[in-house]
Amino acid sequence: MVAGMVVVATGCLPKDSADAAKDSPDAPKSEDSAPASVSPSPSSSPSRPLTAGKLKSLLLREGEVPQVDSAPVQGPVPKYDPRVLVPGPGCQEVFDALVSHHASTSVIQDFWWKNNQWGGRTWLASYAAKGAEEEFQGLKKGLKTCKKLVGVTPDQKLNSRITVAKSPALGDEAVAFDLSMDGPGDTVVTDRQIFVRVGGLTVNMSDRGAQRNPGFPLDVVVDKQVARLTQGPRG
């Protein structure tokens, strides 16, 4: 994640860092997780949220994403305490969704590829009752009015512009948008965000530097991850 962007786009965890995530011996590799069970999705979501262990089993394996050297998994993800406040109409709702603030539990998978570069991230969260639907609706509504995320977290400053893209046909409902900020010199760094709800789960899949060539294969992550969630327990 690039300094100044929201944590979900920069590769930092609350009270953590991308480098620590990659180098920590306590950060499990994705291949250590049991493969997700494949079963038809129920017509309605149970009210009991999934555990962090079950969420980890629903993430992808390293070999499923081209050119990825490692894909460490962390979770449950700590929440900001106290809550990070983000001013502006709808901006709090957008930020809360991006950091899974209202989730019962969430896990993160970072994708490291090509010469030890941080390429992308999946943030998977589970909610009780109708929490996932409420979180998604808050994000969707917030994206209509919030133009920029500005604030301060314990890790860094937020200063990222929002550009909404066409919503993809994924899961039960989905939105897509870019977070961008000014980089060194006259450069602009843009991170793509694809946020999907599948039953009582939400998953935000993002890359770092969407304009970089060659870019991280985010479409592969999105297609395979959403397929995994729609085939497995929906939370």
Side-chain angles (χ1 to χ4, degrees):
M1 202 165 184
V2 179
M5 276 198 180
V6 64
V7 288
V8 70
T10 63
C12 301
L13 275 173
K15 303 173 184 172
D16 205 346
S17 68
D19 291 338
K22 178 177 180 296
D23 298 331
S24 171
D26 297 326
K29 301 289 185 180
S30 58
E31 64 263 29
D32 295 334
S33 301
S37 59
V38 178
S39 58
S41 299
S43 57
S44 61
S45 303
S47 59
R48 180 176 297 176
L50 300 183
T51 64
K54 186 59 181 177
L55 290 179
K56 290 178 182 179
S57 76
L58 293 171
L59 294 171
L60 300 180
R61 299 291 190 91
E62 289 174 5
E64 295 181 85
V65 184
Q67 304 181 54
V68 165
D69 292 330
S70 64
V73 177
Q74 303 171 76
V77 180
K79 297 181 181 181
Y80 285 123
D81 184 16
R83 181 186 188 187
V84 172
L85 301 180
V86 182
C91 294
Q92 188 68 57
E93 287 77 7
V94 172
F95 182 80
D96 285 349
L98 289 177
V99 298
S100 302
H101 179 75
H102 300 292
S104 295
T105 189
S106 69
V107 297
I108 282 176
Q109 181 174 38
D110 285 305
F111 296 101
W112 294 86
W113 72 311
K114 276 190 153 187
N115 301 320
N116 204 32
Q117 298 181 73
W118 182 78
R121 160 170 290 185
T122 294
W123 195 322
L124 178 61
S126 182
Y127 296 75
K130 298 293 184 179
E133 296 176 44
E134 294 170 357
E135 190 83 287
F136 184 89
Q137 291 306 315
L139 170 63
K140 186 176 179 180
K141 183 178 180 181
L143 288 173
K144 294 179 180 179
T145 55
C146 183
K147 304 303 180 184
K148 193 172 186 179
L149 295 177
V150 178
V152 179
T153 77
D155 312 293
Q156 62 188 329
K157 292 182 179 180
L158 306 177
N159 186 15
S160 51
R161 299 179 292 275
I162 298 175
T163 304
V164 179
K166 181 179 178 180
S167 297
L170 295 168
D172 293 321
E173 47 191 348
V175 292
F177 55 99
D178 291 339
L179 294 177
S180 60
M181 66 165 293
D182 296 330
D186 296 327
T187 62
V188 175
V189 180
T190 300
D191 290 8
R192 292 180 294 175
Q193 311 283 326
I194 300 178
F195 193 99
V196 183
R197 182 182 70 83
V198 179
L201 305 176
T202 65
V203 58
N204 186 43
M205 296 156 286
S206 60
D207 69 0
R208 179 180 184 180
Q211 297 175 349
R212 185 175 55 192
N213 187 25
F216 178 76
L218 181 61
D219 291 344
V220 174
V221 173
V222 170
D223 290 344
K224 291 186 176 183
Q225 184 62 77
V226 173
R228 175 74 52 80
L229 297 181
T230 55
Q231 293 172 343
R234 296 158 65 92

